[in-house]
Amino acid sequence: KIDSNIGLLENLSVLDLSGNLLQNISSDLSTMTDLIELDLSRNNISGSISDELSAMTNLGKLNLTYNDLTGISSSIVALKKLYSFEIYHNENMGWIPVEVIDRLQNLLTKDKKKISEKLRSLVTNSDQDYFVRSMPNQAFEWIVNQSSTFVLDDKSFTQQYCLSVLYFNSNGKYWTNKTDWLQSRDECDWYGVQCPNDDVVELKLANNNVSGTVALSGDCLGKLNLFDLSQNSIQKIDSNIGLLENLTVLDLSGNKLENIPSQLGLLTKLSFLWLHENPNLAGRIPSEVADVMMRNDKINASETILSNVPVSRSTIFEYGTSQFRAFNDILYRYRMQQDEISLSSTDLVYRYILGTLYFATNGDRWELNNKWLTPANHCTWKIHDSNGYVIGVLCNTDDEVTKLDLY
């Protein structure tokens, strides 16, 4: 806490309160009109930057980095003598007024100002990120350096910035394979990036130790069609993934996701969405995302299950339940073959029921489970033990299950 008597220091010109545990900006600071430099970085300051700071008319340097600010008033531009203003590393900052963005840009060096102007024109709302958030700020610094090293056309410049945001947010330096990422001139040479006609259309980073947050920036990967992030350690998906308007395949299976943003419902072209095997997810899937999964269920598994099995729609779309896992497994097993495969309602119903049993009883730990959940007909989910006994699913000629032996 800042004592109210601090305002009595009328002649103070430099005040450094960085690296403390301050939780707010005291209104008493506004009376220190002779202050030239104010450093409040590396505290726990939350909320919005007060309008009262605009009364510090002689302030030339203001550092608010590494806090938890959520807002900033346009009144800050009244500080006409400000020559240095830093607010990056405020991860929860809300919308920044355009006047403030313009002021921040004008305070940049000549090279950085040029890059900022270019990014603002090419990547929607990117300036709302790289001025205040840690990882986009790192990406901004990187693209400034990259642009000084190579001549990049607008497409490559935009795609490289967006990919670098992904890289920094998801701990790219620890990826198993990061060949050429942030190193080569051409982003289409980077591991997992596929670019027909120089457009990034596929990102394949499965089983690559990708972790942290998957976040892009604005709409700078508008041609992306396939995004495979399966079998990693990702905890969070940022809502801006919903801006990938041409995305048709999104595989997030086998991660440590703690959220599924409702903005995935904006992906109207999405044909395949896989979320299974994310043990940290809890509660119901956002209705917008459930609608996407229902819409893209090309084998009508959900309709068939809901019509023939006493289970509710909400249960099928509740994270972690055996019902959700069984339904997702059906969709996942058939992947790109859904258009070609025609399953009878009997097969779908039994596949769902047996899959629910499998997940509810930790079937992955069964000693004899190698035939279970394969794309083959459910009546083939059986083996012979060492004594010749049939273990698993037995059916009649109509593919109806007549006996289930799991001893």
Side-chain angles (χ1 to χ4, degrees):
K1 182 179 179 180
I2 301 175
D3 192 278
S4 59
N5 291 323
I6 196 170
L8 300 176
L9 300 173
E10 298 177 351
N11 297 316
L12 193 67
S13 62
V14 178
L15 179 58
D16 186 347
L17 293 172
S18 61
N20 285 286
L21 299 174
L22 299 176
Q23 296 182 357
N24 57 67
I25 301 175
S26 173
S27 59
D28 297 297
L29 291 176
S30 63
T31 64
M32 305 176 72
T33 55
D34 288 330
L35 203 63
I36 297 175
E37 296 184 12
L38 176 60
D39 190 346
L40 294 171
S41 63
R42 299 182 183 278
N43 279 288
N44 296 326
I45 300 172
S46 59
S48 297
I49 298 175
S50 172
D51 289 343
E52 294 173 332
L53 282 183
S54 61
M56 305 172 72
T57 54
N58 286 305
L59 198 62
K61 186 175 183 179
L62 177 59
N63 190 341
L64 293 167
T65 59
Y66 293 96
N67 278 290
D68 195 25
L69 294 167
T70 56
I72 181 171
S73 169
S74 59
S75 64
I76 200 77
V77 301
L79 299 175
K80 302 301 183 183
K81 295 184 179 181
L82 206 61
Y83 62 85
S84 176
F85 179 27
E86 297 177 306
I87 57 172
Y88 56 86
H89 294 280
N90 280 280
E91 308 305 318
N92 296 312
M93 180 68 75
W95 185 261
I96 307 172
V98 175
E99 308 95 298
V100 178
I101 293 288
D102 290 340
R103 189 62 182 278
L104 287 166
Q105 180 170 278
N106 287 332
L107 294 174
L108 294 173
T109 62
K110 181 179 179 180
D111 290 341
K112 289 184 178 181
K113 182 178 179 181
K114 181 180 178 181
I115 295 302
S116 179
E117 291 173 344
K118 190 173 183 179
L119 270 177
R120 292 177 72 183
S121 69
L122 294 173
V123 184
T124 306
N125 296 331
S126 58
D127 48 12
Q128 294 289 328
D129 288 328
Y130 61 76
F131 278 120
V132 293
R133 302 183 216 289
S134 306
M135 302 311 171
N137 182 259
Q138 288 187 49
F140 176 74
E141 296 290 340
W142 176 81
I143 199 66
V144 169
N145 181 68
Q146 181 80 336
S147 297
S148 68
T149 305
F150 302 110
V151 177
L152 303 174
D153 60 28
D154 287 353
K155 180 187 291 186
S156 190
F157 173 88
T158 300
Q159 292 182 158
Q160 288 195 24
Y161 172 72
C162 199
L163 290 171
S164 68
V165 171
L166 170 66
Y167 180 89
F168 288 115
N169 267 296
S170 59
N171 301 307
K173 66 179 180 179
Y174 299 115
W175 292 356
T176 303
N177 190 336
K178 53 181 181 291
T179 302
D180 289 330
W181 275 77
L182 310 192
Q183 301 297 321
S184 69
R185 179 194 179 284
D186 189 349
E187 69 276 12
C188 297
D189 293 333
W190 300 359
Y191 172 77
V193 180
Q194 297 188 12
C195 306
N197 301 318
D198 296 327
D199 291 308
V200 175
V201 297
E202 293 188 0
L203 270 175
K204 296 181 178 180
L205 297 171
N207 196 26
N208 200 43
N209 200 36
V210 180
S211 62
T213 300
V214 171
L216 302 173
S217 181
D219 51 1
C220 52
L221 288 181
K223 298 292 182 67
L224 190 64
N225 179 266
L226 181 150
F227 203 178
D228 187 354
L229 292 163
S230 60
Q231 306 305 314
N232 282 295
S233 300
I234 299 164
Q235 291 89 40
K236 181 180 179 182
I237 300 295
D238 196 88
S239 61
N240 57 20
I241 296 297
L243 297 175
L244 299 174
E245 61 182 10
N246 285 302
L247 198 64
T248 60
V249 178
L250 178 58
D251 192 345
L252 298 170
S253 61
N255 278 282
K256 299 178 180 178
L257 292 177
E258 298 171 354
N259 80 307
I260 295 295
S262 61
Q263 287 80 0
L264 287 185
L266 299 173
L267 301 174
T268 58
K269 295 183 180 180
L270 198 63
S271 298
F272 300 94
L273 172 62
W274 295 298
L275 302 172
H276 66 290
E277 303 308 320
N278 276 282
N280 295 336
L281 288 175
R284 292 182 181 175
I285 290 177
S287 58
E288 299 89 342
V289 180
D291 289 342
V292 170
M293 296 181 72
M294 291 281 281
R295 185 177 71 238
N296 297 327
D297 176 12
K298 297 181 180 180
I299 52 176
N300 295 318
S302 53
E303 181 179 339
T304 302
I305 291 167
L306 291 172
S307 299
N308 293 277
V309 181
V311 60
S312 66
R313 181 179 189 274
S314 60
T315 302
I316 287 181
F317 293 109
E318 185 167 348
Y319 300 125
T321 64
S322 55
Q323 292 91 340
F324 170 78
R325 296 174 71 185
F327 173 61
N328 267 267
D329 185 77
I330 290 173
L331 300 185
Y332 184 76
R333 294 284 172 181
Y334 287 95
R335 296 178 68 108
M336 304 299 184
Q337 298 175 324
Q338 288 191 14
D339 284 328
E340 291 76 38
I341 291 182
S342 178
L343 297 176
S344 67
S345 59
T346 300
D347 191 27
L348 272 176
V349 169
Y350 277 116
R351 181 176 292 275
Y352 172 75
I353 294 173
L354 293 170
T356 300
L357 170 67
Y358 180 89
F359 289 113
T361 58
N362 298 312
D364 58 328
R365 301 178 186 175
W366 296 352
E367 290 185 7
L368 303 175
N369 65 358
N370 57 313
K371 291 294 185 74
W372 279 73
L373 304 186
T374 61
N377 183 282
H378 62 279
C379 295
T380 66
W381 296 0
K382 57 190 175 184
I383 61 173
H384 292 81
D385 67 9
S386 58
N387 296 316
Y389 293 109
V390 176
I391 307 298
V393 181
L394 285 83
C395 300
N396 60 22
T397 56
D398 295 322
D399 287 343
E400 297 173 334
V401 177
T402 57
K403 183 178 181 181
L404 190 59
D405 201 336
L406 301 176
Y407 80 91

